[in-house]
Amino acid sequence: MKDILAILENNAKATPEEIAALTGRSTKEVEELIDQAEKQKIILGYKTVINRDVLYDGEEVLAFVEVRMTPQHDVGFDGIAQRIARFPEVRSLQLMSGDYDLAVLISGNTMQQVASFVAMKLAALQEVNATTTHFLLKRYKEDGIILNQDEGTRRLPLSP
Amino acid sequence: MNDKKAKSAASRILSERVQNLSPSGIRRFFDIIASMDDVISLGVGEPDFVTPWHIREAAITSLESGHTMYTSNFGLMELRQEIATHIRKLYEVNYDPSNEILVTVGVSEALDLVMRSILDPGDEVIVPEPTYVSYVPCIALAGGVPVDVPTSMGNSFQVTASDIESRITHRTKAVLLGYPNNPTGAVMTRDAMLEISKLAIKYDLTVISDEVYDRLVYGVEHTCFPSLPQMKHKSVLLGGFSKSYAMTGWRIGYACANSEIIEAMMKIHQYTMLCAPIQGQMAALEALRFGETEVENMRLEYDRRRRLMVNGLRSIGLDCIDPLGAFYTFPSIKNTGLTSEEFAEQLLIEEKVAVVPGSAFGESGEGHVRCCYAVSQNEIEGALERIGLFVKKLK
């Protein structure tokens, strides 16, 4: 299955027919394995990596927020993390080791909107002790893809 | 000065040896492509990947640290040690880094050095055909006589010991093998290599084994010729970084052999090259120490493209062997009724796809073209579509 996932991870648009041609498997087998991976939650979704700087041309504000919190009995950080994850403003959320507990990426239309969400929703949660907000200034790499860089090919058209 | 006069002036100036060298079979196509737009080229002979970043970064750091001087003629000791470790780990052959390894400017230089080191005028070197374009000229430039052994699709382009034996004369000095093979993609089985090793003992021959594509094999194991019984001292192993690590432009290769041959090669190398460029050597050191993940990732990607190319060519009606190594397919175009030169030229002009005519790799390459699959999936699909149209028009 890993051979199929390696292709899909780089190109979510790859069709079962294309994957079959690249892996030497039959189309039916590829379809079955993809289906199996979806059911086992190995494949969680098929996303497109968008260059948001170009799309929104500065009209989107992102902030990375460090959250320090008190874990709850029995569920530790999971209960509160799952609540925070439900806010649509939260783009990604991870539990971290080190100086803070949760790493939260928040998006909004304006700096004011993001600041307001942090103050009114995130910091207001009872288990949250403190937050530190870092506004994103410029993106260089997104999901493994280096932005605004074209190394192109400088190969000779023919070589021995 | 008119052309005739210019030619006669050149013939007075240039050595007969150089004048007798055939021009490269791909030069003419290069000029045609240069005048065209929108060409998909399957005529390349190098990876489409850029050298992995950590390797480039190591070279940048070496420059920043002031590594701008000559190295030992043999190459950096650290690099030779890593090469020795690398070969020992992969193939269980032990070379002494102090006198059995020479770092060269690509495998090309190593090939030239070994030929000049072992050949006297008139000595014969047996070379399986189709053959990499440099082999025959390198032998000839060293004063040797290339003796070709044709191979064919029927035998998956593997050379047999009996065919080699039939070419052996009292002047035969060496056998030059290049597997995984450029241009055919053929890989030799261990058993077939073993038979050749017996000839090396029987007739006291040196086997020069160009294994620059050793890491690019698909579903089979590469046999390192010196790893065969008694072959370490009867062979010269040529290896490099160009293909496995996508480092063609760095020009770093190496030769491993007994100290007598390496010393002889080093003697020529010190007077003609002095040493391989230090940045390339530093980059190669990083590649050996930390490049294994990228080697495997690139190999997996080539394998995917290989399937796409082979199945695509076959569905067009161009039969080819299952190429188990390197990054080339060598389909037969005999059923089109064209020569390989005609096929390549018409395909380029009519459908803007560049391939290399098989005749560029010797007479037994006629009837085939070399298609490289170290190009993107989109380019392979586009090229296959165009080749399909071209072949359909011919029918």
Side-chain angles (χ1 to χ4, degrees):
Chain A
M1 188 188 288
K2 279 183 181 166
D3 55 343
I4 295 173
L5 297 177
I7 295 166
L8 281 174
E9 195 169 18
N10 284 316
N11 177 17
K13 280 172 72 181
T15 64
E17 289 78 13
E18 285 169 341
I19 297 171
L22 291 167
T23 57
R25 295 176 185 272
S26 70
T27 306
K28 188 167 176 284
E29 191 186 0
V30 170
E31 284 169 343
E32 283 169 4
L33 286 167
I34 291 175
D35 195 38
Q36 192 183 322
E38 287 172 356
K39 283 183 181 141
Q40 291 174 352
K41 302 276 183 202
I42 294 170
I43 294 177
L44 292 174
Y46 298 86
K47 286 187 66 175
T48 302
V49 182
I50 290 169
N51 189 339
R52 306 180 77 88
D53 289 348
V54 175
L55 180 66
Y56 295 112
D57 193 21
E59 288 173 8
E60 184 192 53
V61 174
L62 282 168
F64 169 73
V65 184
E66 301 171 3
V67 179
R68 290 164 194 78
M69 50 190 286
T70 309
Q72 296 168 293
H73 279 298
D74 303 327
V75 289
F77 294 105
D78 290 352
I80 189 69
Q82 277 159 12
R83 279 180 63 193
I84 294 173
R86 288 176 185 277
F87 288 108
E89 290 89 344
V90 174
R91 288 268 304 278
S92 68
L93 172 64
Q94 289 99 12
L95 178 65
M96 313 296 288
S97 66
D99 287 346
Y100 57 94
D101 305 306
L102 294 180
V104 192
L105 187 68
I106 292 166
S107 68
N109 294 331
T110 62
M111 203 180 266
Q112 184 57 42
Q113 198 179 56
V114 171
S116 168
F117 173 78
V118 173
M120 309 299 288
K121 304 288 184 195
L122 204 54
L125 291 166
Q126 199 181 351
E127 295 82 357
V128 171
N129 301 328
T131 60
T132 308
T133 304
H134 309 271
F135 282 97
L136 186 149
L137 301 180
K138 188 172 179 180
R139 249 183 294 250
Y140 295 96
K141 192 172 183 180
E142 192 79 37
D143 279 349
I145 298 171
I146 297 176
L147 305 177
N148 306 318
Q149 179 195 267
D150 182 15
E151 286 192 319
T153 179
R154 297 175 180 86
R155 279 195 298 185
L156 296 173
L158 277 183
S159 50
Chain B
M1 200 187 291
N2 65 33
D3 282 357
K4 206 172 171 184
K5 276 185 182 167
K7 203 173 175 186
S8 100
S11 66
R12 282 199 307 276
I13 294 164
L14 301 177
S15 72
E16 273 185 37
R17 209 170 42 238
V18 168
Q19 290 187 65
N20 290 339
L21 273 188
S22 307
S24 162
I26 64 172
R27 186 69 237 176
R28 195 165 63 84
F29 288 89
F30 196 95
D31 294 337
I32 300 173
I33 295 173
S35 66
M36 295 172 74
D37 291 325
D38 188 32
V39 172
I40 301 178
S41 182
L42 307 179
V44 288
E46 60 179 324
D48 59 330
F49 297 107
V50 177
T51 307
W53 174 250
H54 69 97
I55 296 173
R56 289 186 270 165
E57 215 270 337
I60 294 168
T61 305
S62 81
L63 271 174
E64 285 174 340
S65 314
H67 289 287
T68 59
M69 316 296 185
Y70 295 134
T71 70
S72 149
N73 297 131
F74 285 101
L76 291 168
M77 181 45 109
E78 280 172 293
L79 177 58
R80 283 179 278 147
Q81 284 167 339
E82 285 294 340
I83 291 169
T85 306
H86 180 73
I87 295 169
R88 187 170 59 247
K89 272 191 200 160
L90 287 174
Y91 306 119
E92 296 176 358
V93 189
N94 289 302
Y95 287 106
D96 183 341
S98 68
N99 59 9
E100 292 184 328
I101 296 175
L102 175 69
V103 177
T104 57
V105 180
V107 175
S108 301
E109 192 212 352
L111 182 71
D112 178 39
L113 294 178
V114 70
M115 292 306 169
R116 285 198 276 165
S117 298
I118 67 169
L119 296 181
D120 281 317
D123 282 347
E124 294 173 3
V125 180
I126 295 174
V127 190
E129 244 196 33
T131 174
Y132 177 58
V133 295
S134 298
Y135 291 172
V136 167
C138 272
I139 295 165
L141 283 170
V145 178
V147 177
D148 61 272
V149 186
T151 63
S152 66
M153 257 178 90
N155 198 26
S156 298
F157 292 109
Q158 291 191 61
V159 67
T160 64
S162 60
D163 281 346
I164 290 177
E165 191 165 21
S166 70
R167 291 338 191 248
I168 293 174
T169 71
H170 70 286
R171 293 306 306 266
T172 305
K173 195 78 179 273
V175 177
L176 171 54
L177 301 176
Y179 295 94
N181 187 260
N182 174 5
T184 64
V187 170
M188 290 281 283
T189 63
R190 186 178 171 82
D191 287 348
M193 288 281 207
L194 262 175
E195 292 305 311
I196 296 171
S197 74
K198 289 174 191 164
L199 291 182
I201 295 167
K202 185 175 171 187
Y203 295 97
D204 192 23
L205 304 176
T206 299
V207 174
I208 300 149
S209 190
D210 173 358
E211 302 185 16
V212 73
Y213 290 98
D214 67 332
R215 309 303 307 283
L216 300 179
V217 289
Y218 314 102
V220 290
E221 288 217 351
H222 169 71
T223 301
C224 175
F225 193 85
S227 72
L228 299 171
Q230 303 177 63
M231 282 304 106
K232 186 197 153 187
H233 293 291
K234 296 292 295 173
S235 62
V236 181
L237 171 66
L238 308 182
F241 296 82
S242 297
K243 315 298 178 176
S244 316
Y245 298 93
M247 289 177 66
T248 46
W250 298 85
R251 310 307 304 127
I252 299 293
Y254 53 84
C256 305
N258 63 54
S259 58
E260 202 182 351
I261 291 180
I262 290 297
E263 181 67 29
M265 290 173 71
M266 193 279 289
K267 223 190 308 183
I268 305 171
H269 176 74
Q270 73 181 348
Y271 293 131
T272 55
M273 195 62 66
L274 213 154
C275 68
I278 188 168
Q279 267 69 54
Q281 294 194 55
M282 299 295 277
L285 189 58
E286 169 74 18
L288 285 178
R289 284 179 175 165
F290 304 108
E292 200 54 29
T293 307
E294 283 93 347
V295 171
E296 181 58 6
N297 286 341
M298 288 191 273
R299 191 190 70 81
L300 289 170
E301 181 59 29
Y302 292 137
D303 194 17
R304 290 190 277 267
R305 298 171 183 183
R306 184 181 74 95
R307 287 194 191 91
L308 196 63
M309 180 73 96
V310 170
N311 292 335
L313 288 170
R314 285 176 179 164
S315 68
I316 289 166
L318 301 181
D319 196 16
C320 57
I321 65 161
D322 190 15
L324 298 177
F327 38 54
Y328 308 102
T329 53
F330 203 57
S332 167
I333 48 100
K334 286 175 187 162
N335 62 6
T336 64
L338 300 177
T339 65
S340 63
E341 281 252 349
E342 288 166 346
F343 184 95
E345 185 165 354
Q346 290 178 26
L347 176 65
L348 178 58
I349 291 166
E350 291 176 28
E351 294 296 337
K352 297 186 174 182
V353 175
V355 296
V356 181
S359 55
F361 307 99
E363 273 179 36
S364 54
E366 183 49 57
H368 296 264
V369 292
R370 189 190 75 177
C371 303
C372 175
Y373 53 82
V375 297
S376 73
Q377 192 185 321
N378 283 345
E379 285 175 305
I380 292 174
E381 285 164 349
L384 287 170
E385 199 180 322
R386 294 183 191 187
I387 295 171
L389 285 173
F390 176 71
V391 171
K392 208 171 170 185
K393 274 192 286 181
L394 290 173
K395 283 179 180 166

